[in-house]
Amino acid sequence: MKISYNWLVEYLPIDEATLKITGNPHKIAEILTSVGLEVESLEKYEQVKNGLEGLIIGEVITCEKHPDADKLKITTVDNGKGETLQIVCGAPNVAARQKVILAPVGSKLFPIKGDPFEIKKAKIRGVESNGMLCAEDEIGLGFSHEGILVLPDNAIPGTALKNYYNLYADWIFEIGLTPNRMDAMSHLGVAKDVCAYISHHLKKSTKVIYPFKNNFKADNHLKPVEVQIKNSQNCERYAGVSISGITVAESPIWLQNRLKSIGLRPLNNIVDITNFILHETGQPLHAFDLDKIKGKKVIIETLPEGTPFTTLDEKERKLDSEDIMICNGENEPMCFAGVFGGLDSGVSAQTTNLFLESAVFNPASIRKTMLFHNLRTEAAVRFEKGINIGNTVEVLKHAAMMIKEIAGGKISSEVIDVYPVPREKKEITLSNFYLKKISGKNYHPDAVKNILTSLNFAILREGIDNIKVEVPYSNPDIAIPADIIEEIMRIDGLDNIEIPSTVTIAPSVDSHLIEAAQKEKISNWLIGNGFHEIFTNSITNSKYFNDEILDTTVKIINSLSEGLNIMRPSMLPTGLECVAYNLNRKNNNLLFFEFGKTYFKIEDKYEENQNLALYLTGNRNELNWGSLPKKADIYFAKGICEAIFSLAGIQNFKIKVSENEDLNECLTIIVRGKKMAVIGSVNKLQLERFSIKQPVYFICFDWQNLMFFAKRDDISFEPVTKFPQVHRDLSMLVDKRISYSKIEDLVKSLPIKKLQNIQLFDVFENIKLGKNKKSFAINFTFLDKEKTLTDLEIEDMMNQIISTLENKLNAEIRNNG
């Protein structure tokens, strides 16, 4: 969720005592994280990238044709600082006496298209140029490249362009909101928490500055609309008001800036106001074209299954029998209640009269409709989590007055408020003993009272050892005393809970001790070799997988978002998301590892597997004075894999070439018939899906199988042999289709106990070797732990190897040494 700093501080009291907090977005970010609204990022928002920094207004003094280029002109430009600069310009419209945008040498331009670039002193066709005169697309102000941007005559040379345009700038908080914090899904909700923090920690009563004004009044009663709720379980409360004589037009700049800063695209003044109110208060609104409401009646009901309905996106959808619909007086559907509007009742450029809706719908029904029709809207997300039923009418009046002010018109009815069964507020009693037991801290009763009142809880009774409170409508998730304790602790700060002087624990035996030790050992080795550990979400997007895989995935019934709807069946996509995130921030050399689970549904049973996944891209080492950087490749990945097997004490494994729909150059490692790991380079389709433009290598270990074999083999020790190893090299020509692994397996199958190691050190292919031929150069290591090997013994073993290779693989031995 995005929160605008400029927008937020409008609701915060700013005085000498609070200015150090409210005047500093970084301090507010710390406070929000402290009270449970984790700020995942705080980024500067600029209406134009880089805010036109370094650009100034200049005046063209002279403009002459370039002697060696028909389309270039040589200008002299007054920079307003007592200097006249010679600049070569190719714009067709440049002329003397113009006020222009000057990019001096050293300034940086951020064009609409393309990468940023710095202005440097240059020679263009032999003429020195000390800057650049800019078109609007070259500085991010527009899309035109027909010529330089010419400013009005009253523009003053030397003026910084950012001051001339007075561009909007802001700070944007990206908040990772937990599902239970629906009260904070708005700027006012966040402001309430900030004020509660200030009140408690600065010991200064601080209240939110609410935008609601008691100035609503109907101008006439010419456009009454009747409202009927057929089932109060579907719609607890429905309010509406008619507004006539409006003009649908572009929104004022201040409103557009507010919406743009949080990532919303302005459409028109009516839609923008409803979006503004949604993000200001958390209350979704919907505007109908009043002239399109047949019978001037609004009915909230369900319709028969299969009823056709065309939505705003011009798609015809078949209704489910549980969809809550807003219908007109002829029982024709106009809108999916709380989810999405209809094509034939929405506001258009021709709309002059509208009916504005503010309502509270059943969260479970809204969620079903949203998922059934795949319509995840901002309004639906708020309705499904629950909204403040006490604000329904207040927000409606506030929005109506905004529309009247911005779009003109008159309020043409009283507020219609249908509230069949008023909701009772919950009452909860919290004892001091229970508060101490759960929180681990002794809170003073006054501190508890002040925190709760600052969060809009009403104190019903204060006893000697308890307090009874009334829960505000804005917190529908609070139902038990533990919820109240959570509110107290988060405002006080979880970091302020005292650590007890003694901790009592019951001794236990860890049944996973060996696995934990292996995990620690492998993690430390990876970190020591330049890897970084990552943790990614085990919930991912079904769009990353084909239908065959989706048949066995574990689907999320109540997904938090459309893009997080299944438990991951593979570690690859979530890791690639992390890789792409870093690459987009110019962190191009990455070595990541992650311990995580994958999930499957086989028939009616659910399975989860533990994995160790590694992701490698870019250089595997940094540039330094002793060595050049080397790219990560499949051989590096294979070496990492073999090292991890060695750490786990697993020696005898086979590597086979295999196929994988996500990987190229795929290798599968097998131990005693069990699949232990896959290695490969991520294929082009997967890389393009995440907009990754450089090779990525992926290793995935089946951690359960790895631990199975690591636990089976006891560790044994033996002294270092006193006798020397003997090395022999062998070069051979073989058929091009024969892999090294086949040679290795064949040699290892021979009864040569003194053969310690076999290592490939050269592969060579050339037409001179013969058609479909290649050369392998292999080193063999022999060792006798009881004595020094003789030349005769070594020769005998080498002859066995040569004979086998010649007979089994038709190898041609080139030399033997």
Side-chain angles (χ1 to χ4, degrees), residues 554-573:
V554 180
K555 297 174 178 62
I556 306 296
I557 297 174
N558 297 317
S559 62
L560 293 174
S561 70
E562 186 180 351
L564 296 171
N565 55 4
I566 63 168
M567 304 297 288
R568 63 184 174 199
S570 166
M571 298 291 291
L572 181 59

Side-chain angles (χ1 to χ4, degrees), residues 468-532:
K468 187 176 183 179
V469 299
E470 185 180 67
V471 181
Y473 287 129
S474 60
N475 296 79
D477 65 305
I478 293 180
I480 57 177
D483 296 331
I484 302 292
I485 294 173
E486 181 186 354
E487 295 296 288
I488 295 169
M489 291 178 67
R490 69 181 185 83
I491 296 301
D492 180 55
L494 298 177
D495 292 338
N496 294 325
I497 303 297
E498 297 96 340
I499 299 175
S501 57
T502 60
V503 178
T504 303
I505 60 171
S508 63
V509 177
D510 189 353
S511 58
H512 301 287
L513 185 61
I514 296 176
E515 182 177 339
Q518 289 285 357
K519 187 175 181 180
E520 183 76 8
K521 180 166 68 171
I522 292 172
S523 296
N524 288 339
W525 185 88
L526 287 168
I527 292 168
N529 282 274
F531 281 78
H532 291 83

